[in-house]
Amino acid sequence: MARIDHAAIRTKSYEEAQRFFEDVFEMHMWREIGEKPGRKCWYKEGIQLCEVEELNAASENGYDHISIAVDSEAEIMEKIKAYPVKAINDHWFSLPNGTKIELKPLAEWKVDA
């Protein structure tokens, strides 16, 4: 059996991205390495941030989206309004770097399915 360990996200706004994942999803950083402009950090909840100097937001950077299981999709969609992200519908949004995020109800998340 395989499980996703983490999803890596490239960002030019490293500190802003950290605040976003910590404030909106209450994630907990457990490791950080490197120096500006090549820092990386990992969150216990499975997200990795990779700082870059240049970013091609028009490209998909080798992935389609990240799915995050949450207690309340509506609550998260309300919280994102304070950040420079774009709502796609009631449970999808995109970050400034083009990363698409899908929200799923934690109650319906099936690890062994």
Side-chain angles (χ1 to χ4, degrees), residues 8-26:
I9 300 171
R10 296 180 186 130
T11 181
K12 288 173 58 175
S13 305
Y14 186 74
E15 290 92 357
E16 193 173 297
Q18 286 177 321
R19 278 192 306 276
F20 178 81
F21 284 99
E22 291 167 9
D23 291 348
V24 173
F25 294 107
E26 300 177 5

Side-chain angles (χ1 to χ4, degrees), residues 9-12 55-59 61 63 95-100:
I9 300 171
R10 296 180 186 130
T11 181
K12 288 173 58 175
L55 184 68
N56 181 357
S59 74
N61 295 317
Y63 55 81
L95 302 178
N97 69 359
T99 300
K100 291 178 273 186

Side-chain angles (χ1 to χ4, degrees), residues 33-72:
I33 62 170
E35 296 179 18
K36 192 173 185 171
R39 297 171 286 182
K40 295 181 181 182
C41 68
W42 289 261
Y43 288 90
K44 291 179 181 179
E45 294 79 7
I47 295 293
Q48 175 188 351
L49 298 177
C50 303
E51 184 180 37
V52 296
E53 289 186 89
E54 294 300 320
L55 184 68
N56 181 357
S59 74
E60 291 187 23
N61 295 317
Y63 55 81
D64 182 70
H65 71 279
I66 299 167
S67 180
I68 301 176
V70 297
D71 287 322
S72 169

Side-chain angles (χ1 to χ4, degrees), residues 68-107:
I68 301 176
V70 297
D71 287 322
S72 169
E73 295 167 69
E75 182 178 319
I76 297 302
M77 292 302 289
E78 184 62 31
K79 283 183 175 183
I80 70 166
K81 291 179 180 178
Y83 293 87
V85 300
K86 179 182 174 188
I88 298 169
N89 60 29
D90 66 341
H91 68 286
W92 281 79
F93 62 92
S94 62
L95 302 178
N97 69 359
T99 300
K100 291 178 273 186
I101 296 184
E102 172 189 19
L103 302 175
K104 289 187 175 180
L106 188 57

